[in-house]
Amino acid sequence: MAGTVPSGWYESLPGDANAWRERLQSVRAEFGGNWLTRLAPAFAATGKAKERLEAAASGEGVVVTTGQQPGLFGGPIYTLSKALSALAFADSLQEVTGVPVAPVFWAATDDTDFREASSTIVSLPGGAQLLRFDHPAPLGLPMAAMPLGDVSAQLDALKRASAAAIDPMPIELLERFYTSGATIGEAYVSFLRGLFAPLGIAVIDASHPATRAAANPVVTKALEHAEEIADAVTARNHEIEAAGFTAQVQDVPGLSLVFSASSGSRKRIPIKSAAKHATADDLGPNVLLRPVIERAILPTATYIGGPAEIAYFAQIAPIAEVLGVSRPAILPRWSCMIIEPHVEEILEKLYLLPEDFRDPHEVEARVARARLPKPVIEELNATRAAINEHLDALSGAVVEERAPVGAAVTEGLRANLLRRLDRFERRLIAAAKREHADIMHEIATVRGSLYPLGKPQERSLTFVPFLARYGAPLRQDMLAGAREHARRLTGGRHETSRSLGEPMSARGRS
């Protein structure tokens, strides 16, 4: 994005309104007027989402896309961040060009990652809780076919974590769609449609027959040219590695970029047998082929993605070139950290910053050590300094007097003494943690919100309790941050804005 990689790795994107207008005209010129007609069943769009799609289809418009594979109860915060990023960018692009632009969320229900689809994390007073369920059917099924089963216990835990909700809609949607008769993919798509449609964001189901039918010509061609594509991807991966980077998606020698579900589970088709599968109707793309297909079936101005997606888009251009499809473009999504009022109060009280919690244990040890009696700390430091001072003198004397031991012996003594002193200090800190259990509980509360179970908040916590607790004002604040980010990307006017990924406060709406 900053121009530090060879220009051919990524599709070039405009930097001002006029250049964007030209790009949108070029993208739209590739499509006939029936792209929405054939994909409408896969969108099943309603309300404002339907209006924006129809405006884009009938008014020489385009779409801005983002997407994600299913996550339990809608997935982590970045599912919402991505959707709002696409909405904000579509709005900004429409504003600066005058061209109708519809935001689209690609729900990758053809994905087989059950681990992600079956778990999420909620923050609680004193920490975080992992919610998950076991697979009710054999692994390897796409999430569109994987039964959801009974997740009522997990949903009850999420509702408890939401506490006093001021906006019941997100939880009501979960209760409506996350039922035992649904598949994981169905529940995910239905929930996101219910949540996003009022905002104007359309959700397309990657597993819907209409999507698969539209994608089939590209998928078939990918099988027909499987060996050529494999060579092109390998060559690009070598370029990436030669430039000092690591290919985000690793080569799997002998396998095409197309999956088959003929055996019940989803498996990559071997290149040597690719031609045999070219006429099958159970085919689907892998992660590298998916953006190429999306660009081929939708008039996509750009995809809005995260760091990992930006990384693997460097591998996609040669695939599009082999297939004769326009290269998909990508821009970085907006990112955030949500700091709730009670979390902000604890941070201020203990003079801590959100980034202090990246280390899994450092904050607790630092705060507990600060609560040890000052004379104890002073004597610990003095003892440590004295050990080093006297061992320096002893080492010098050993060398000067040619004592019958080597320098390694005295250095081993130093390490032994300092290790014992460190152990003593750790015991003091452990005792201080027990003595100040209330403060440790507060720190655990903050950690459970900002870095739950050691993971960044945006990539792990479900967003539903936040929306339930703080309602539309939080969503509006997030959208405002995403809009500022979008204006920078489109070259539109913007006020001094929050930096990408900067923490945002939910204060005042509890």
Side-chain angles (χ1 to χ4, degrees):
M1 293 293 134
T4 57
V5 298
S7 59
W9 289 8
Y10 292 95
E11 175 73 356
S12 297
L13 285 173
D16 58 47
N18 288 333
W20 271 112
R21 193 175 295 109
E22 291 177 6
R23 174 171 175 79
L24 302 195
Q25 291 171 351
S26 174
V27 168
R28 192 62 182 84
E30 300 174 20
F31 287 80
N34 67 341
W35 66 266
L36 180 56
T37 301
R38 65 178 180 174
L39 289 173
F43 278 109
T46 60
K48 193 173 181 181
K50 182 179 181 181
E51 293 172 7
R52 292 197 68 161
L53 273 179
E54 291 177 344
S58 61
E60 297 299 310
V62 298
V63 301
V64 167
T65 60
T66 190
Q68 189 63 31
Q69 66 262 43
L72 182 58
F73 301 141
I77 292 171
Y78 68 61
T79 302
L80 181 60
S81 299
K82 280 185 164 186
L84 295 179
S85 294
L87 172 60
F89 190 78
D91 288 346
S92 184
L93 206 53
Q94 183 167 294
E95 178 183 352
V96 300
T97 65
V99 175
V101 184
V104 168
F105 189 97
W106 183 284
T109 56
D110 53 350
D111 191 82
T112 59
D113 188 353
F114 178 80
R115 183 173 182 178
E116 178 166 343
S118 63
S119 65
T120 192
I121 299 174
V122 294
S123 62
L124 302 165
Q129 180 183 0
L130 175 67
L131 308 181
R132 64 179 308 154
F133 63 94
D134 293 328
H135 54 92
L139 295 179
L141 288 176
M143 294 304 102
M146 177 67 79
L148 177 64
D150 182 6
V151 293
S152 57
Q154 292 81 0
L155 184 53
D156 286 344
L158 182 143
K159 288 190 285 187
R160 289 193 297 271
S162 300
I166 68 169
D167 183 0
M169 186 187 74
I171 292 175
E172 290 174 353
L173 288 173
L174 290 179
E175 290 174 328
R176 185 187 312 169
F177 297 119
Y178 275 79
T179 60
S180 58
T183 67
I184 290 175
E186 287 170 348
Y188 180 70
V189 169
S190 298
F191 171 67
L192 291 188
R193 283 175 177 161
L195 196 66
F196 293 161
L199 303 178
I201 304 169
V203 179
I204 185 169
D205 185 352
S207 296
H208 192 280
T211 309
R212 296 166 67 89
N216 190 63
V218 181
V219 174
T220 300
K221 196 170 183 179
L223 283 175
E224 294 170 349
H225 296 269
E227 190 166 357
E228 188 179 351
I229 289 173
D231 291 342
V233 172
T234 299
R236 173 54 55 83
N237 289 351
H238 288 160
E239 291 178 31
I240 291 171
E241 292 163 4
F245 300 100
T246 300
Q248 181 71 19
V249 178
Q250 294 298 311
D251 260 336
V252 182
L255 296 182
S256 72
L257 302 187
V258 179
F259 281 94
S260 170
S262 60
S263 63
S265 61
R266 196 165 175 257
K267 296 180 180 179
R268 291 267 291 274
I269 297 174
I271 292 174
K272 63 182 180 181
S273 60
K276 300 177 184 178
H277 292 80
T279 59
D281 59 1
D282 59 353
L283 306 177
N286 87 326
V287 67
L288 292 181
L289 185 58
R290 191 272 310 157
V292 178
I293 286 176
E294 181 185 300
R295 178 66 178 84
I297 69 175
L298 290 170
T300 306
T302 186
Y303 182 86
I304 305 295
E309 291 165 311
I310 291 173
Y312 72 65
F313 260 65
Q315 301 170 264
I316 287 172
I319 302 170
E321 290 164 4
V322 170
L323 295 175
V325 175
S326 295
R327 299 195 305 181
I330 189 167
L331 282 173
R333 67 176 175 86
W334 175 74
S335 178
C336 72
M337 174 183 282
I338 302 172
I339 301 180
E340 299 185 81
H342 67 282
V343 170
E344 190 170 18
E345 290 172 6
I346 296 170
L347 290 173
E348 292 174 355
K349 170 186 172 181
L350 300 178
Y351 301 98
L352 296 171
L353 298 172
E355 53 266 32
D356 293 335
F357 288 83
R358 290 174 181 163
D359 184 287
H361 306 294
E362 192 272 340
V363 169
E364 288 85 345
R366 189 208 315 172
V367 172
R369 192 177 193 278
R371 277 155 177 75
L372 292 174
K374 185 176 179 181
V376 173
I377 296 295
E378 291 174 348
E379 290 303 322
L380 272 172
N381 293 335
T383 302
R384 189 171 281 108
I387 289 174
N388 282 312
E389 179 183 353
H390 286 292
L391 262 295
D392 286 343
L394 178 59
S395 295
V398 166
V399 172
E400 184 177 345
E401 300 300 328
R402 298 181 180 179
V405 293
V409 176
T410 54
E411 286 307 309
L413 175 60
R414 182 201 304 269
N416 194 339
L417 292 173
L418 290 176
R419 187 164 52 248
R420 288 175 177 271
L421 187 62
D422 289 342
R423 186 184 303 166
F424 174 75
E425 183 176 6
R426 287 196 297 272
R427 289 181 176 178
L428 285 175
I429 291 172
K433 289 179 181 179
R434 291 191 295 272
E435 182 179 354
H436 299 283
D438 55 338
I439 296 176
M440 294 302 113
H441 184 271
E442 290 180 325
I443 291 174
T445 297
V446 174
R447 186 178 297 285
S449 178
L450 304 185
Y451 286 89
L453 306 184
K455 302 175 182 177
Q457 179 199 76
E458 197 181 27
R459 300 190 62 82
S460 53
L461 281 188
T462 171
F463 61 84
V464 172
F466 289 100
L467 290 184
R469 283 198 293 268
Y470 302 105
L474 173 62
R475 187 174 61 244
Q476 290 164 1
D477 276 359
M478 294 178 71
L479 186 55
R483 290 192 195 283
E484 293 171 356
H485 176 63
R487 292 189 189 102
R488 291 195 292 273
L489 295 176
T490 57
R493 298 188 305 274
H494 63 275
E495 305 298 325
T496 301
S497 61
R498 176 183 290 116
S499 299
L500 179 67
E502 183 176 332
M504 59 187 305
S505 175
R507 179 174 291 281
R509 290 176 294 280
S510 58

